């Protein structure tokens, strides 16, 4: 369901959040992945990724009102997303508004599996598999790279040259039947070049 509702130009599970009741795109601007919950601005929404508070998990162009933003996660690495309009639990006490609780999924524990998917603006490579013959752990790697700048080059006059890329990694291992160790890391890079500097005014 997350994947079906997350596709715009590129795979973005934050777009799926905007389809929930009481949730809308921030400022009614569909170009941005940020959202408001029951009228509360995104500045009052705390985002938790595997129970860790994260700040600004987006590709975006700062101080550029006519730009856009995109989440650094893809739906392929997300297991579950919950919006809590009123985060009363002390677990979500880092903001005075709503909370977004994101849990990433573990990789499969079978033989290594690789998938490549292409979209309008970006392509993604996903790999996952188990550790060793005992399959006590798993790994999952997802990498995404945009090529929208190549599509717009020499086709749209004075268009900004925007590109992004991101990488997510999750490792899990069963120390004992009742204890599990996991590591999740994600990183992304966004760049923009403009030949017409007047467009930044």
């Amino acid at each position: 369901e997350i994947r079906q509702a997350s596709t715009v130009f590129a795979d973005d599970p934050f777009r799926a959040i905007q389809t929930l009741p009481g949730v809308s795109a921030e400022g009614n601007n569909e170009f941005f992945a940020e959202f408001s919950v029951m009228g509360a601005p995104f500045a009052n929404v705390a985002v938790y990724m595997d129970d860790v508070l994260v700040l600004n998990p987006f590709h975006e162009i700062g101080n550029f009102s006519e730009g856009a933003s995109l989440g650094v996660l893809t739906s392929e690495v997300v297991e579950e997303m919950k919006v809590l309009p009123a985060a009363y639990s002390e677990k979500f006490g880092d903001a005075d508004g709503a909370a977004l609780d994101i849990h990433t999924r573990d990789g499969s524990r079978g033989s290594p599996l690789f998938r490549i998917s292409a979209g309008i603006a970006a392509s993604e490579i996903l790999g996952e598999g188990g550790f060793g013959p005992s399959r006590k752990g798993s790994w999952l790697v997802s990498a995404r790279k945009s090529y929208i700048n190549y599509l717009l080059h020499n086709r749209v006059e004075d268009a900004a040259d925007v590109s992004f890329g991101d990488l997510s990694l999750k490792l899990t291992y069963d120390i004992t039947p009742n204890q599990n160790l996991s590591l999740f890391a994600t990183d992304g890079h966004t760049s923009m070049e403009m030949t017409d500097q007047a467009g930044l005014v």
Side-chain angles (χ1 to χ4, degrees):
E1 292 177 352
I2 292 175
R3 183 167 182 80
Q4 291 176 350
S6 65
T7 302
V8 186
F9 283 105
D11 183 10
D12 184 6
F14 284 91
R15 307 291 174 164
I17 294 296
Q18 297 179 4
T19 65
L20 296 176
V23 182
S24 61
E26 178 79 356
N28 291 322
N29 189 339
E30 300 290 344
F31 287 105
F32 288 90
E34 292 88 341
F35 54 89
S36 61
V37 181
M38 300 180 68
F42 186 76
N44 295 336
V45 178
V47 179
Y48 294 84
M49 197 175 299
D50 288 338
D51 299 325
V52 176
L53 178 67
V54 295
L55 302 176
N56 201 29
F58 302 105
H59 295 286
E60 61 183 355
I61 306 300
N63 300 321
F64 190 54
S65 60
E66 296 182 359
S69 63
L70 186 77
V72 297
L73 294 180
T74 67
S75 61
E76 291 286 357
V77 302
V78 174
E79 177 72 24
E80 183 181 38
M81 303 179 77
K82 294 181 182 177
V83 174
L84 307 174
Y88 294 117
S89 171
E90 60 186 22
K91 177 181 177 181
F92 305 106
D94 297 289
D96 55 3
L100 174 62
D101 188 18
I102 303 173
H103 288 275
T104 57
R105 74 177 182 89
D106 297 342
S108 66
R109 300 201 177 190
S111 300
L113 174 67
F114 297 92
R115 292 194 298 271
I116 300 176
S117 58
I120 297 176
S123 292
E124 178 187 358
I125 299 176
L126 178 77
E128 58 184 314
F131 283 133
S134 61
R135 307 299 185 187
K136 287 188 176 182
S138 66
W139 57 272
L140 184 147
V141 178
S142 174
R144 180 173 57 170
K145 182 70 174 71
S146 71
Y147 42 76
I148 191 171
N149 52 326
Y150 301 111
L151 297 177
L152 296 179
H153 192 65
N154 295 329
R155 290 182 175 84
V156 179
E157 185 177 357
D158 297 329
D161 186 1
V162 179
S163 64
F164 68 88
D166 48 52
L167 176 70
S168 297
L169 167 68
K170 185 163 188 182
L171 305 174
T172 59
Y173 190 79
D174 296 333
I175 301 175
T176 70
N178 297 321
Q179 293 178 313
N180 178 271
L181 181 65
S182 66
L183 167 70
F184 179 76
T186 185
D187 189 25
H189 176 73
T190 310
S191 64
M192 182 182 78
E193 296 181 7
M194 294 193 70
T195 56
D196 181 14
Q197 296 184 1
L200 291 173
V201 179

